[in-house]
Amino acid sequence: MSGIQLQQVTKQYREGSSIITALQEASITVNSGELAAIVGPSGSGKSTLLSIIGALIKPTSGNVMVNGQDVGALSPKQLANFRLNEIGFILQSSNLIPYLSVLDQLILINKMSGKSSKQDHQFAINLLTELGLGNKLTKMPHELSGGERQRVAISRALFNQPSVILADEPTASLDSKRAHEVVKLIAAEVKKRQKAAIMVTHDQRMLTYCDHVYHMEDGKLIPKVMQSSIIK
Ligand SMILES: Nc1ncnc2c1ncn2[C@@H]1O[C@H](COP(=O)(O)OP(=O)(O)O)[C@@H](O)[C@H]1O
Ligand SMILES: [Mg+2]
């Protein structure tokens, strides 16, 4: 089964003699082509959830399936491949490498995985052009606006053709107009390329672009009924 399925995932951190429960039996299913939003206060466990799905950290208990793979059962080598090939991360600040051009931000990751080709190069150009950056390919990050930098980050997340997109507050550093543009773009790409995507956001106005909304509180994930589905 493709997409993301989490069943009763718990994550505890040990801090000296005390234990912090960052996630408490969180369950969520996101199918290919769907964008789910998670809203909730700071410290409620949102980033922990994304880090577990992206296999950056291991849960204390529970089951994580991504694109039909049981993430908990992967070997260290399989995990490295999994992170590279199945997961695209978009973060709050775009985390672009300051001394690489827009095009190289995409191409370089691929070179590191040892398989850069002419087709990859063309795919990078096509992707950046589709995301409105066709005339910015040779620009450096400092020559771009905040919205453009996030569009590079989205292109970079899509470049390896992962099955999953994880966005952690991708609009936090953008003004309202750019925020709408960026989330619209994420939603459109998720549909078009049939990704399973989760976006953490503080911005209620972004929920209209999402297929599901969850509220996170004290590590518990609660599905929210959306206004639009009440009206329907
Ligand atoms: N590496 C860590 N070690 C100890 N505690 C952590 C660690 N990472 C996160 N936490 C704690 O887990 C809880 C959830 O954090 P986080 O997932 O970052 O929340 P959010 O993204 O919703 O702000 C918080 O209480 C945070 O302090
Ligand atoms: Mg966070």
Side-chain angles (χ1 to χ4, degrees):
M1 195 182 174
S2 61
I4 302 165
Q5 294 97 28
L6 266 68
Q7 279 177 326
Q8 301 197 301
V9 171
T10 294
K11 175 66 183 181
Q12 294 180 325
Y13 293 108
R14 198 176 289 275
E15 280 265 290
S17 57
S18 62
I19 287 177
I20 296 163
T21 302
L23 274 185
Q24 210 172 332
E25 302 199 331
S27 299
I28 183 171
T29 296
V30 185
N31 297 319
S32 300
E34 290 181 345
L35 174 60
I38 299 179
V39 287
S42 185
S44 58
K46 305 180 302 293
S47 295
T48 299
L49 184 84
L50 295 192
S51 300
I52 286 173
I53 297 168
L56 299 174
I57 57 175
K58 282 185 191 297
T60 308
S61 63
N63 200 276
V64 181
M65 297 287 293
V66 172
N67 199 23
Q69 299 178 74
D70 180 351
V71 178
L74 300 178
S75 70
K77 193 175 159 60
Q78 288 171 322
L79 276 175
N81 282 328
F82 172 87
R83 289 185 204 108
L84 190 65
N85 297 318
E86 298 289 356
I87 306 293
F89 260 108
I90 304 166
L91 302 174
Q92 173 176 344
S93 56
S94 49
N95 286 53
L96 301 182
I97 300 166
Y99 50 84
L100 290 180
S101 72
V102 165
L103 185 55
D104 279 342
Q105 303 283 341
L106 273 62
I107 302 285
L108 190 87
I109 325 174
N110 218 47
K111 274 194 190 137
M112 290 196 304
S113 71
K115 46 162 190 180
S116 199
S117 67
K118 265 207 178 108
Q119 286 95 313
D120 294 327
H121 197 261
Q122 193 56 50
F123 181 62
I125 293 172
N126 293 350
L127 200 53
L128 288 162
T129 304
E130 183 180 316
L131 272 75
L133 296 162
N135 57 352
K136 307 276 176 182
L137 299 179
T138 58
K139 296 279 186 231
M140 303 304 272
H142 74 269
E143 298 176 285
L144 305 175
S145 70
E148 287 167 346
R149 281 200 286 269
Q150 277 309 58
R151 281 190 269 148
V152 179
I154 297 167
S155 315
R156 188 180 55 184
L158 291 167
F159 181 61
N160 268 356
Q161 301 181 264
S163 54
V164 165
I165 296 288
L166 303 172
D168 200 346
E169 305 195 33
T171 63
S173 58
L174 302 178
D175 63 43
S176 170
K177 181 167 175 277
R178 304 278 179 271
H180 278 278
E181 284 171 8
V182 160
V183 176
K184 254 191 224 172
L185 202 52
I186 293 174
E189 291 297 323
V190 163
K191 289 273 155 333
K192 179 179 172 195
R193 299 177 190 277
Q194 289 292 296
K195 309 301 180 191
I198 299 181
M199 174 176 69
V200 167
T201 182
H202 279 298
D203 192 341
Q204 297 285 334
R205 291 167 303 182
M206 298 306 144
L207 302 183
T208 162
Y209 303 110
C210 301
D211 301 293
H212 308 288
V213 178
Y214 288 79
H215 194 83
M216 179 83 93
E217 201 150 338
D218 294 332
K220 295 196 188 108
L221 202 51
I222 305 145
K224 273 172 73 159
V225 180
M226 282 197 284
Q227 292 299 328
S228 56
S229 51
I230 294 172
I231 294 161
K232 271 181 219 161

